[in-house]
Amino acid sequence: MESLGILGAAIGAGLAVIGAAFGIGKIGGSAMEAIGRQPEAANKIRTNMIIVAALIEGVALFAVVVCFLAL
Amino acid sequence: MRKTFANIVVLLALLLALLLPALPMRAAAQEAPEQTTAVQAGREQEGTGQKGAVQEGDLDIKQLVLGHLGDSYEWHITSTGNGEWSIPLPVIIHSPTSGWHCFSSARLREGAEYEGLRIAAQGDHAGKIVERQADGSDLRPLDLSLTKTAAALLLNSVVVLCLVLGTARWYRRHKATERAPKGFVALFEMLVSGILDSVIKPCVGPNYRKFAPYLLTAFFFIFVNNLMGLIPFFPGGANVTGNIAVTFILALATFLAVNLFGTKHYWKDILWPDVPVWLKAFPLMPLIELVGIFTKPFALMIRLFANMMAGHAVILSLTCVIFATVGMGAAVNGSMSAVSVLFSIFMYCLELLVAFLQAYVFTMLSAVFIGLAQERPGKHAAEGPADNH
Amino acid sequence: MGLLQPESGLLFWMTLAFGVVFIVLARYGFPIIVKAIESRKEYIDSSLDAAREAEQKCATLEARSREIVNEAEVRRNEILREADNERKQILSDARQKAESEGECLLEKARRQAESERAAILDDAKHEIATLAVAITERMLREELRDRDAQTQLASRLMEELDPKNRKTWTPD
């Protein structure tokens, strides 16, 4: 039973990371596109990109922590 | 100045690459005490860390990594043929039954008991000091010991103080408008003005001067601790920012900075936001916003902790690959060692980036949260703080 | 999980370390550095502004000098033209004056000649008259013995000699 819990935790952490990776990847892609369109706004775009990526990462980290607790 | 910075980064990376051959010994040897307590292997049987790693296999690697990520009562430096080299650190205990205890952790080596205190071998408090009670059960007393992480923390704090006060001394002795600084002060100035211009001013808004000292302190505190954690031998190597207590205090400081100095508008936005009445009369939105007050610093805490801990864990695991494959023959072990070293170099470069990035992100998010709490009415929430520089 | 539980001892040390670092740096460290950096930035900005201003001033000075040169040139041309005009004026004036003076002189000479001629004529007339009187006296002395006839004749002659009645009298 306990090994099943560990399996669940590992799968959960993996899923959370997949979600976060997808989200951050989309942000990064859009940000690069935006910088390509408007190179003069690169600084502002980068700042906002980091902030949004950090928010997504935060959610993913919550999930990882929950998995950690289930371990 | 940017060129200087690039040079320094390259130098650091080269230095780390050169030091890598020394790393495995340290990593394996360092955790020897934890192995004894946690895995109950005989001390003589281990000899060097390498031998122990071979015999314990996978379980040993997990314990080794977790042991490093945790804390210890003495600062292990290295193991030689003659024995362990480690710095004993002061143990400070306040027990509800026997009062204050203060002694060197050398007295607790190898499971010894002193004044009724010992390091628990197993159970809930494995690896921590417990006190044997009269009825035979173990009690965890109030433990203010200067552990390895705490000692590294103090050391790194001194480093931060020296860096900043040294730079400040230069500025006190020279007129800023006379000539630009050189060398270290110039590097430091570049970092400070970069953080100030690209993070603090745009994110906090017009009264950034009030918060600049806190944000800069947080940045350099985290940055120095991260970098010191990457140095694989004595003065560094401790997993400081990968410790939840450390990041908890940092996040708490940001929490206080955000909420103690929040404007009336900020609190109004939380308790009575501009949404339809049915959303706030039944206090759904205020509830969510109140939770949000706590989740923001919580995310800060977890982010820094998880990133640094994961970095240390990955580098240690990669190093352990060498010892895990010793039993598989010379060819496999040799090729895996090469792979391990290559991956370690890569991870070290990545960790250098992460060390900076996490300090930067922590500072930036703190600045953004502070800036949001500094908002005055009549400004656009989305781009108000960003447009004020 | 042990890693996720903050240790009370570490919390204490972290609070202490971070608190001390923050207080010391917020008091003696970063304000000085930030102030120095900002003052340097301000200084650089003001220097750049001053340089730009100086450049602008230089440009305006150059424009001004060019303007002055142009103005001087225009003025010179004007003066030259004026001088030319004046010269012509003076010449024409002088010529006019000379002409009028000459005419005046001519007139004067003519008038003098006229008056001289008149005087000569008068003289001649007078002489002729005297002559005529004397001749007539001599001629008439024999003819007119009586006083009355003489006087009558004389007065008649005098009347005829009067310039008012000259058309009736032609001495030559």
Side-chain angles (χ1 to χ4, degrees), chain B residues 241-266:
Chain B
T241 34
N243 191 300
I244 194 97
V246 172
T247 57
F248 173 75
I249 297 294
L250 286 168
L252 184 70
T254 293
F255 175 78
L256 293 178
V258 169
N259 291 298
L260 288 187
F261 297 101
T263 54
K264 224 178 275 173
H265 186 70
Y266 166 72

Side-chain angles (χ1 to χ4, degrees), chain B residues 252-286:
Chain B
L252 184 70
T254 293
F255 175 78
L256 293 178
V258 169
N259 291 298
L260 288 187
F261 297 101
T263 54
K264 224 178 275 173
H265 186 70
Y266 166 72
W267 288 107
K268 191 217 152 231
D269 246 6
I270 288 173
L271 299 174
W272 200 252
D274 289 331
V275 291
V277 178
W278 60 271
L279 271 175
K280 52 188 178 182
F282 167 74
L284 184 65
M285 286 293 287

